Amino acid sequence: MTAYEIISAKRDRQTLSDDEIAFMINGFTAGRIPDYQFAALLMAIFLNGMTPVETKSLTEHMLYSGIVADLSTVPGIKVDKHSTGGVGDKVSIPLAAIVAAAGVPVPMISGRGLGHTGGTLDKLQSIPGFRIDYSIDEYKKKVALTGACLIGQTASIAPADKKIYALRDVTATVQSIPLITASIMSKKLAEGIDALVLDVKTGRGAFMQKIDDSRDLAKNLIAVGERFGKPTIAYITNMDQPLGRMIGNWLEIRESIDCLQDKGPADLMQVTHQLCGAMIYLGQKAVSIEAGIEISKLMVHSGKAWQKFIDIVRSQEGDSHVLEHPETYPRAKFQSELKADDSGYLSRLDALEFGLASVQLGAGRMQAADPVNPKAGIELHYKIGAKVEQGQVLATLFSDDEEALNRALDRLSKAVGYAASPLAAPPLLIEMLDKNSL
Amino acid sequence: MTAYEIISAKRDRQTLSDDEIAFMINGFTAGRIPDYQFAALLMAIFLNGMTPVETKSLTEHMLYSGIVADLSTVPGIKVDKHSTGGVGDKVSIPLAAIVAAAGVPVPMISGRGLGHTGGTLDKLQSIPGFRIDYSIDEYKKKVALTGACLIGQTASIAPADKKIYALRDVTATVQSIPLITASIMSKKLAEGIDALVLDVKTGRGAFMQKIDDSRDLAKNLIAVGERFGKPTIAYITNMDQPLGRMIGNWLEIRESIDCLQDKGPADLMQVTHQLCGAMIYLGQKAVSIEAGIEISKLMVHSGKAWQKFIDIVRSQEGDSHVLEHPETYPRAKFQSELKADDSGYLSRLDALEFGLASVQLGAGRMQAADPVNPKAGIELHYKIGAKVEQGQVLATLFSDDEEALNRALDRLSKAVGYAASPLAAPPLLIEMLDKNSL
């Protein structure tokens, strides 16, 4: 077996065997197979695809390139959620607290923001003292004690994915459904989960802009989850406009607090309760997703989820005082207002452009090594469907860089559309898929 | 413009602009674009193809990555021939002498053997003293003085091709028609030619085994030649069985001598005269290809081609004594006979297997750095269609390695087929193509 033969086989649309996939993943991770050969394989996979069986093998060998957290001694059915990423998508933060409050342990290994999408780790780290660098042993203890632990990907989790992702990123092979599936699932399966809920975003601010691609990705993710014996439910949700009203690291923690205090915006609450409902159901604390949603709402109304969030933050050494007194958090040096250019009904708030503007303001990064500013971001005052008058303030922008504020304002003035007659916001929950959808 | 965007465009089946192709070729040759990005581009080109305009751009930027010999001060229309490579294909050697004898200058930059196909340089270097490492200036002088000069690719000729070929070789992207076309044509155009004749082999021992692929390659080569203003004629010739009777470096020089002394085997003489005829026609020393063929035959019958060969070898510091007394050349240490397993009409002499057997004997190389043995090889006593009796000697094998002789005999016993009734050899000249075929 040689790398050359395996590249040739995929080039010629043949199905790779489990052994061949193992040979490539192990060889590349160990440095025996050079990056130029793996790059050729990635492009052949991108263009010729992979079968579900190949995708499962790919996931498995990427997963076992590192350690898999063993949470079998933690009581309960451990359930995590993964989102393919969006703008203003802070759902993981209130969700972890709600689901843990409902008695379902949440082991969560998250990522950082890149490009126009934010990352849960960056948001959590805007809380002073909050640590995300625990060892797998400490993570396991915290899941057992607090019911949830949110950490970053350690070097021991799916190292093959880290190396492959870096190569995909420079060889234009990121947007491949089997490669995305294996990347996501190898990391999720390493967490020690028993079941998984997926939020596959679709639309302007999503990784996959077309509904068919999003559905295809959802099915691939479910297929791999189920092949590993992990019940998996996926929702396809709209990401044409930002989710909620806040974009930016601390701003999204503030909105998560609102959410946990039952004051969150309707769209954010809807997605959060739906995903929590599915997790509580998979965690066998509810007989149906609908019953799970009721429990989720109860956890918020009762204050139990809020208390759980305080517990999680304290467990991860974060400053809980600032959560209870968010007005004490330092503000960005500069702020500016995005005003309506026209009168009418808001018909477009382009999520991609809002995401890119938040990066300009300092809230995100274009390169993995860039720093982020916890205070930077955007607060939206209206969402699609709202009636506005010319000159009315649509959003407030925050940054420590005055020049960047102007550039972001300029970008956003082109990201807003107006309609003459009333219109409804696009449906948020587009569809639910599970193993019966395959 | 970034490498990432250009890779993405080819991945998405877009047509690359001349500037984009220049950016990639120049960047890769200069080391600014890493091999993993170029490997991804190569696989995207392999799978998504290139238009004739893109292929011309690719050729042009590979050509101008190095120097182009300027033979404009050499009188006459300079014409070369290129073969896509086969087994026993020594045509270039008698051809250069015949065409030069007819008054058409032949500037020829050749390659070494790799895999089952032999290389003109290895054959020429079996002549003691023969030099192939002249500078472009010396090469130009020799073309002017002798009418032909056969050298190797210097570092200054199409360095982009050298670097790209090495990467194609390890990323399973060799067999791509636009990439092959640009590789061949960038080197041929660098020779300083005015016109070109191509011998595109097809069949078992050819680079392209299928006639449709060979025809496609021929058309691509002609299209690029014509776009550069160089009249180009291509022949598709059969390579199911070895050409002529000799395979191996010195053995093929011996057969070239036979050929120039009008004692060559019929198949080899037919291909040689056809290609020479086309070159003499393109060199405007004949009014038609047919008239060129007559001149070619006359050059051989008259002894002028043989004398020209002696002149070329002396001009390149080779020992011409050994050509006039080939019986004085040292023999391989061991020889062995391949005997017929069966009686009947020879129906198969698998060119690929004969080529691989000759590599085993030491006549060729599997890796570019391997040495070759000038004395090793195979002499065929019969060709397809001959009637043979069981036990009759079909071929004699020569090697300095007794073990290798046995392995090669073993391989060849499976490479021969017998039919009960008489049959004709496959047609040798399959078709002729020129710009009117596009």
Side-chain angles (χ1 to χ4, degrees), chain A residues 4 11 36-37 39 169-170 172, chain B residues 4 11 36-37 39 169-170 172:
Chain A
Y4 186 93
R11 179 196 73 191
Y36 51 82
Q37 285 192 314
D169 198 35
V170 292
Chain B
Y4 186 93
R11 179 196 74 191
Y36 50 82
Q37 285 192 313
D169 198 37
V170 292

Side-chain angles (χ1 to χ4, degrees), chain B residues 55 90-91 105 126 132 136 163 216 263 279 285 289 333 340 352 367 370 385:
Chain B
T55 307
K90 71 284 294 173
V91 171
S126 73
I132 51 92
I136 294 297
K163 201 167 170 189
D216 198 4
K263 303 179 291 194
M279 289 174 77
K285 296 291 181 186
I289 295 174
K333 276 189 207 148
L352 175 60
Q367 306 283 335
D370 295 346

Side-chain angles (χ1 to χ4, degrees), chain B residues 238-258:
Chain B
N238 182 280
M239 188 35 74
D240 281 325
Q241 65 174 333
L243 187 64
R245 294 177 183 275
M246 301 289 199
I247 309 163
N249 299 303
W250 171 250
L251 289 172
E252 294 194 39
I253 293 291
R254 264 186 55 194
E255 194 170 39
S256 298
I257 296 170
D258 286 348

Side-chain angles (χ1 to χ4, degrees), chain A residues 212-240:
Chain A
D212 287 346
D213 291 339
S214 302
R215 191 181 290 121
D216 197 6
L217 175 58
K219 287 183 180 177
N220 271 269
L221 291 164
I222 293 166
V224 169
E226 296 286 341
R227 277 174 192 272
F228 278 91
K230 313 295 179 188
T232 303
I233 292 174
Y235 290 92
I236 298 179
T237 67
N238 182 280
M239 188 33 77
D240 282 325

